[in-house]
Amino acid sequence: MAQVADNRQPSVLRSIDWWTIGIYLALLSFGWISVCGASYTYGDNDIFSLGTRSGMQIIWIGTSIALGFVLLMLDDRFYDTFSYVIYAVLILLLFATIFNPHSIKGSHSWLVLGPLRLQPAEFGKFATALAVAKFMSSYGFNIHNIKHFMAAVGIILLPMVCIVGQRETGSALVYSAFFLMLYREGMPGSILFTAVAMVVYFVVGIKYENVMMWDSYTSIGKFVVLLLVQIFTAGMVSSYTGNKKHCYTILAYTVGITLIFLLFSTYVIPFDIVWVQLGLCAAMIGYIVYQALATRLRSYYFIAAFALGSIAFFYSADYVLNNVMEPHQRVRINVLLGLDEDLAGAGYNVHQSEIAIGSGGLQGKGFLNGTQTKLKFVPEQDTDFIFCTVGEEEGFLGSACVLLLFLALILRLIHLAERQPFKFGRVYGYCVLSVFLFHLFINVGMVLGLTPVIGIPLPFFSYGGSSLWGFTILLFIFLRIDAGRNLIRN
């Protein structure tokens, strides 16, 4: 008897990665428990009442699960086909929100529709991820082509500009996480190194700018930053041109002459060595440009641009910090860098959060038994600082379990992204991974006092519908794309 070929498509529900959905549901459960603990007030009898935040969070969780189910039922090709349309709609919405008359805590990032408040910036993440994935998977795209690369960067920067216009800097910074995806897709490592170098310049330069070297006229911050510029530049010459002789020449002259003038300033005539270093940097850049003209290697031009840009960044960052930033933003950075303590002002949130986490000990105080959170010592304890509730009520063990769940989610997303047969799915998957990683690192870091307080939620934990819906959409679109990887296309 002849066998009939089975051409039936595999079921979408059978192709879905249920491990990730299991982690998602576990995080939602832990998140609701944390919202209960953070919002509970002594004397409340019903944590399920819609008049409480814990009750409303159940509504947000239920609608998020329903939304995820709808996203899974759509054809995965829908997201590829309408990527640009979705992106355009969200950009228009983000731009319109700038002129929103409703101001919440100084920010114009919320749309108020009766009793409902929505934050378009939370939904812009998945729209941007879809658009950049669509563009980078288009025929002929090459990340090493400067025009293609800048176009991809432009797709990422456009929503950032709109969100900054809403005076919501924290949400805008989340979009910088997409550069991790660009690095995975072949972005030169020099760009990532430059970003790290800029952070080092800023932290070292600002923190020690007003500390003088051996009671002289030389700022330790400026001295170290300019010395790092010289060392980093010499290292790049060795790495990207292969010419170690030029690297050693740069190091010998810049470090050697700096050391000579440092000794002269210390023991003979005190003066500001920074001027000598600036002169050496100018000579170094001139030398590199000369080598570029002599050898016709483009790498020398990029290295010269790095050195010049490093100096320009440091001095412009100092100007922006002291003359452009709002006072409360400047105080937050100073507190983070240890320049100001301000336990009653900008450092109050972090200080109280650290007390709450420390008081939890190893096993925690138990569900609804936290004292710091129940007495409302920690501002925003059910939104941006909700992780302190986990630390106080569940202790170190509970906090570790939560972080392990997030680690499992991150590792699972890497696995799913790497198994995508098409570039669109892989790029989108790494966008999702980058956003979750950035939120996790910054949110937990700011609660522990390790990163700046920029006001971003902890995925699936912080109270609110916009962030929960945004993260759910971001994740479930990827799960749907992954579920369709083995389907037969007509």
Side-chain angles (χ1 to χ4, degrees), residues 143-183:
I143 198 169
H144 299 290
N145 183 309
I146 188 63
K147 292 182 180 179
H148 294 174
F149 176 74
M150 294 308 298
V153 171
I155 293 174
I156 298 170
L157 292 181
L158 183 56
M160 290 183 68
V161 173
C162 294
I163 296 171
V164 169
Q166 300 169 5
R167 304 182 70 178
E168 188 65 33
T169 309
S171 296
L173 288 175
V174 174
Y175 288 75
S176 63
F178 288 109
F179 283 86
L180 294 176
M181 174 276 299
L182 293 175
Y183 180 69

Side-chain angles (χ1 to χ4, degrees), residues 6-267:
D6 187 2
N7 293 323
R8 290 177 300 177
Q9 295 275 34
S11 169
V12 171
L13 294 178
R14 292 181 60 185
S15 302
I16 291 172
D17 186 70
W18 289 102
W19 284 106
T20 303
I21 291 183
I23 297 172
Y24 167 77
L25 294 175
L27 288 171
L28 287 181
S29 301
F30 276 109
W32 182 78
I33 292 173
S34 300
V35 170
C36 285
S39 60
Y40 178 79
T41 302
Y42 289 120
D44 286 347
N45 297 320
D46 188 5
I47 60 176
F48 299 100
S49 170
L50 296 182
T52 63
R53 289 206 160 191
S54 56
M56 280 302 301
Q57 189 70 357
I58 294 178
I59 301 298
W60 301 133
I61 290 174
T63 53
S64 295
I65 294 174
L67 180 60
F69 179 78
V70 171
L71 294 171
L72 291 177
M73 292 301 102
L74 292 175
D75 192 312
D76 60 296
R77 288 172 291 187
F78 170 85
Y79 304 113
D80 188 340
T81 304
F82 293 96
S83 295
Y84 291 146
V85 176
I86 296 172
Y87 179 75
V89 171
L90 261 298
I91 289 296
L92 289 175
L93 191 59
L94 288 172
F95 182 74
T97 308
I98 297 175
F99 307 99
N100 173 30
H102 299 281
S103 176
I104 299 176
K105 297 181 181 179
S107 170
H108 293 268
S109 61
W110 294 85
L111 290 178
V112 180
L113 307 172
L116 185 65
R117 297 189 305 178
L118 293 176
Q119 191 174 20
E122 294 295 334
F123 304 101
K125 299 168 191 173
F126 83 86
T128 304
L130 285 173
V132 75
K134 175 73 172 179
F135 179 74
M136 293 181 64
S137 62
S138 60
Y139 178 77
F141 175 85
N142 185 354
I143 198 169
H144 299 290
N145 183 309
I146 188 63
K147 292 182 180 179
H148 294 174
F149 176 74
M150 294 308 298
V153 171
I155 293 174
I156 298 170
L157 292 181
L158 183 56
M160 290 183 68
V161 173
C162 294
I163 296 171
V164 169
Q166 300 169 5
R167 304 182 70 178
E168 188 65 33
T169 309
S171 296
L173 288 175
V174 174
Y175 288 75
S176 63
F178 288 109
F179 283 86
L180 294 176
M181 174 276 299
L182 293 175
Y183 180 69
R184 163 59 182 84
E185 293 301 316
M187 182 181 73
S190 57
I191 296 179
L192 192 62
F193 172 77
T194 300
V196 174
M198 298 303 174
V199 174
V200 173
Y201 297 154
F202 182 82
V203 172
V204 174
I206 299 301
K207 184 175 179 65
Y208 299 103
E209 180 182 15
N210 296 319
V211 180
M212 297 299 150
M213 183 180 295
W214 299 321
D215 296 325
S216 66
Y217 300 102
T218 303
S219 162
I220 291 181
K222 293 180 179 179
F223 175 84
V224 173
V225 167
L226 291 175
L227 187 62
L228 286 175
V229 170
Q230 296 163 1
I231 294 173
F232 288 165
T233 302
M236 292 183 73
V237 168
S238 176
S239 298
Y240 294 103
T241 68
N243 196 320
K244 297 188 180 298
K245 179 181 178 181
H246 291 165
C247 168
Y248 296 146
T249 300
I250 292 173
L251 285 176
Y253 278 98
T254 55
V255 177
I257 294 175
T258 298
L259 181 60
I260 292 172
F261 277 95
L262 178 61
L263 294 174
F264 183 84
S265 173
T266 303
Y267 297 106

Side-chain angles (χ1 to χ4, degrees), residues 345-362:
Y348 178 80
N349 290 23
V350 175
H351 181 62
Q352 293 298 326
S353 175
E354 291 172 342
I355 292 175
I357 292 174
S359 67
L362 179 64

